Amino acid sequence: MAIYTRTGDRGETSVIGGRVFKDDLRIEAYGTIDELNGFVGQARSMMGDERFTDVREQLLEIQHELFDCGSDLAYVKQDQGKYKVTGAMAERLERWIDSLQAENPPIERFILPGGSGLASVLHICRTVCRRAERRTVTLGRSTDINGETVAYLNRLSDYFFALARTANKRLGVADVEYIRGAKVFRD
């Protein structure tokens, strides 16, 4: 079977319930989610040893859920009965974040992306996730969407921040603090 269809050669693509231009807000939103999924796969591939078994499994689940997000956004006419993203998914992310945060050292300053290569990729995941969230919010201002998708993406970016710090901790690499600012986080 050929993977090319030629149906998009004039700048249009199929969505569930119709066709739209490839620069449609809907395509921008779930295309950015797809981009994020690629970076999540890269991060996951960098977690080869036993120190990361737990989060490798979490990231695989997240990759499936990112496809769910894209699927929910692909509907031209919204059908709440078919939504895949639920509030329970964001709540589960909160539990994972809490567990990661318990492992991380206290934070006093803003953290710059970096430290280990793995943490750097996880910070890329965080920033692309924030862009996906912004694109999804923009889409939601012009059409009905599953609002749980926005909440999920919001929580997911927090997860990537916490996980980047955990990756540095587990690898024995210090976070890179923004030293030009005051200590802004206190217990």
Side-chain angles (χ1 to χ4, degrees):
M1 176 180 159
I3 63 167
Y4 54 87
T5 62
R6 297 187 180 130
T7 58
D9 290 353
R10 294 202 170 120
E12 292 184 349
T13 191
S14 294
V15 293
I16 301 170
R19 289 186 64 77
V20 297
F21 285 104
K22 291 185 177 188
D23 64 350
D24 186 89
L25 293 176
R26 183 175 315 282
I27 306 305
E28 282 294 326
Y30 72 68
T32 305
I33 291 170
D34 189 37
E35 179 184 353
L36 170 60
N37 211 338
F39 283 114
V40 173
Q42 181 182 13
R44 192 169 178 274
S45 73
M46 296 172 74
M47 298 177 169
D49 65 49
E50 66 281 346
R51 290 176 289 187
F52 297 104
T53 302
D54 57 337
V55 291
R56 275 181 56 80
E57 292 306 312
Q58 290 175 2
L59 290 178
L60 180 59
E61 183 67 20
I62 286 166
Q63 286 191 284
H64 286 282
E65 291 171 351
L66 288 171
F67 255 76
D68 293 341
C69 290
S71 173
D72 282 2
L73 296 178
Y75 284 94
V76 172
K77 293 183 180 177
Q78 299 306 300
D79 183 349
Q80 293 183 7
K82 294 186 178 182
Y83 287 152
K84 296 177 181 176
V85 179
T86 66
M89 294 160 67
E91 291 170 5
R92 192 209 54 237
L93 284 173
E94 290 174 359
R95 289 190 299 275
W96 289 352
I97 291 166
D98 292 344
S99 177
L100 293 169
Q101 285 294 91
E103 195 176 327
N104 292 337
I107 185 171
E108 294 180 336
R109 299 179 187 276
F110 287 111
I111 303 294
L112 299 176
S116 66
L118 175 57
S120 297
V121 172
L122 290 164
H123 278 292
I124 292 170
C125 289
R126 176 184 57 81
T127 60
V128 174
C129 189
R130 288 285 189 209
R131 180 162 35 93
E133 179 187 6
R134 291 190 306 269
R135 297 289 188 266
T136 303
V137 167
T138 300
L139 174 63
R141 291 176 64 195
S142 65
T143 190
D144 289 333
I145 63 167
N146 177 5
E148 296 295 345
T149 304
V150 175
Y152 178 81
L153 292 170
N154 182 272
R155 210 69 76 253
L156 184 59
S157 63
D158 295 333
Y159 170 85
F160 288 129
F161 177 78
L163 182 55
R165 296 194 68 228
T166 301
N168 277 340
K169 175 85 166 62
R170 290 183 186 183
L171 292 169
V173 176
D175 285 325
V176 181
E177 291 185 328
Y178 175 62
I179 60 172
R180 294 183 179 164
K183 292 182 179 181
V184 293
F185 300 103
R186 305 209 190 316
D187 288 337

